[in-house]
Amino acid sequence: QVQLVESGGGLVQTGGSLRLSCLISGVIYSIKNMAWYRQAPGKQRELVASLGRDATTNYTDSVKGRFTISRDNAENTVYLSMNSLELEDTAIYYCKIRAIDYRGWNDYWGQGTQVTVSS
């Protein structure tokens, strides 16, 4: 069974940094893409950053130049490095992968990790 477990969230002041981790476990034949989403209170979940199998990355405009998505294949982990954090970055951050296992292609989500930015 594929599982994603996020960690690294917490409370940080504006201008600070955090690095989120998403550990992927289970039997996966291939991963098509990885992504980080976030959901702030009262708002819809939004895509923050994505990383394709060909290493292409995409970021939502509000985080460009501040956030970096990366992966460590040996550690089965995808990261989101966040710098110059702003109050508006406060949200629950979710890791998602689109992967194929014995059941076919599916989207898998983690449980989320809270990021709170304070002034």
Side-chain angles (χ1 to χ4, degrees):
Q1 182 175 352
V2 178
Q3 287 189 322
L4 279 62
V5 178
E6 300 102 332
S7 61
L11 175 64
V12 64
Q13 290 187 323
T14 53
S17 300
L18 285 173
R19 189 177 77 159
L20 306 182
S21 301
C22 174
L23 177 63
I24 303 165
S25 62
V27 179
I28 296 174
Y29 301 154
S30 180
I31 296 176
K32 185 176 183 179
N33 58 57
M34 302 173 163
W36 286 93
Y37 286 72
R38 68 185 178 187
Q39 187 166 19
K43 295 187 178 181
Q44 289 188 328
R45 190 173 297 188
E46 67 168 343
L47 175 63
V48 176
S50 64
L51 173 61
R53 188 158 49 190
D54 59 356
T56 56
T57 57
N58 286 287
Y59 299 91
T60 191
D61 286 345
S62 63
V63 308
K64 285 180 180 177
R66 301 188 298 121
F67 290 11
T68 303
I69 187 171
S70 61
R71 67 184 291 180
D72 185 329
N73 291 332
E75 298 293 330
N76 293 325
T77 302
V78 59
Y79 300 100
L80 184 68
S81 297
M82 306 185 295
N83 298 314
S84 303
L85 284 162
E86 303 170 353
L87 294 175
E88 293 74 22
D89 296 317
T90 295
I92 299 174
Y93 284 71
Y94 300 89
C95 175
K96 191 200 87 170
I97 64 170
R98 182 153 183 83
I100 184 169
D101 59 12
Y102 71 96
R103 298 181 300 169
W105 287 102
N106 285 287
D107 290 331
Y108 296 97
W109 292 84
Q111 83 289 350
T113 185
Q114 176 71 49
V115 171
T116 303
V117 184
S118 65
S119 58

